[in-house]
Amino acid sequence: MKLKRLFNLLPVLLVMWSPLATAAPGLPAISVQGGSDGETYSLTLQALALMTALTLLPSALMMMTSFTRIIIALSILRTALGTQQAPSNQILIGLALFLTLFVMQPVFSKIYSTAVKPYMDEQISAEEAVDRGALPLRDFMLNQTRENDISLFLNLSGTDKVDSPDDLSFSVLVPAFVTSELKTAFQIGFLLFIPFLIIDLVVASVLMSMGMMMLSPMIISLPFKLMLFVLVDGWSLILGTLAGSFYQA
């Protein structure tokens, strides 16, 4: 139960940091007395546990949002284009991050309105806020997760079949969601590779027929792939498709 609540806490941890940090002091974990005035500084166990949980936020961003699918698809696109380091890793990560925020904005808004704001207004307890905040994220992940992936991790955990999706624990849902996202990302990457692979094959065949064995086909095909990508307005097409792939009719 404690592990489940830790998973539930991650999506709302950042926005709840301020009110939690100003909560009533708990059991001191570390106390330091310094200076001639004898002032004592202490770090409570609650604050220590919260700071430790914050280190899990990057993993939560990658494993519980749309970030994984987007960054893998963009990385495969760069490989298919053959542009080596253009766009750079920093640009791809930044683009994936802001597209993730765009995709997840309805989920984050619902978390704030149903959990964070009532908690900050002292209308509900922290435990109830965590439970409420986990529901929108659970719905998002369930909509993107394949049933066979959920069944796989249910079997691995030794858990019997659940009566409803609401009974799934986050310890099962998160790895199933990540597995589905990896599978979807590679499917998108396969489709991205096909047109550029055809260009590479055509260029390589032409060079072979002309006897130009020492000239790299990648150098010749790169301008044609870039021209094709620009002519079809590739960036708008790719980003629009990636963002739209998370919305269900």
Side-chain angles (χ1 to χ4, degrees), residues 69-134:
R69 183 190 304 185
I70 295 172
I71 191 60
I72 291 178
L74 292 178
S75 299
I76 293 177
L77 172 64
R78 183 177 64 181
T79 303
L81 283 171
T83 54
Q84 303 299 325
Q85 294 298 320
S88 64
N89 292 333
Q90 292 86 346
I91 294 176
L92 286 185
I93 293 175
L95 181 59
L97 177 60
F98 279 99
L99 190 58
T100 298
L101 294 177
F102 172 78
V103 172
M104 300 297 296
Q105 191 273 333
V107 178
F108 291 154
S109 297
K110 193 171 183 180
I111 291 175
Y112 179 81
S113 61
T114 60
V116 179
K117 191 175 186 302
Y119 174 74
M120 296 178 67
D121 294 338
E122 298 182 355
Q123 298 175 356
I124 59 177
S125 63
E127 182 177 345
E128 186 177 357
V130 169
D131 292 337
R132 286 189 183 184

Side-chain angles (χ1 to χ4, degrees), residues 156-179:
L156 291 176
S157 63
T159 305
D160 296 332
K161 291 185 178 180
V162 294
D163 297 330
S164 67
D166 294 336
D167 297 331
L168 282 174
S169 65
F170 267 68
S171 60
V172 172
L173 180 57
V174 172
F177 169 74
V178 174
T179 304

Side-chain angles (χ1 to χ4, degrees), residues 10 16 22 55 94 115 136-137 183 195 206 213 227 230 241-242 247:
L10 292 176
M16 294 178 62
T22 56
T55 61
L137 192 62
K183 189 180 301 182
V206 171
M213 308 290 295
M227 181 179 64
V230 171
T241 302
L242 283 173
Y247 292 96

Side-chain angles (χ1 to χ4, degrees), residues 77 192 196 228-241:
L77 172 64
L192 290 175
F196 303 114
L228 172 65
F229 192 69
V230 171
L231 288 177
V232 300
D233 196 11
W235 285 115
S236 298
L237 186 62
I238 295 300
L239 296 181
T241 302

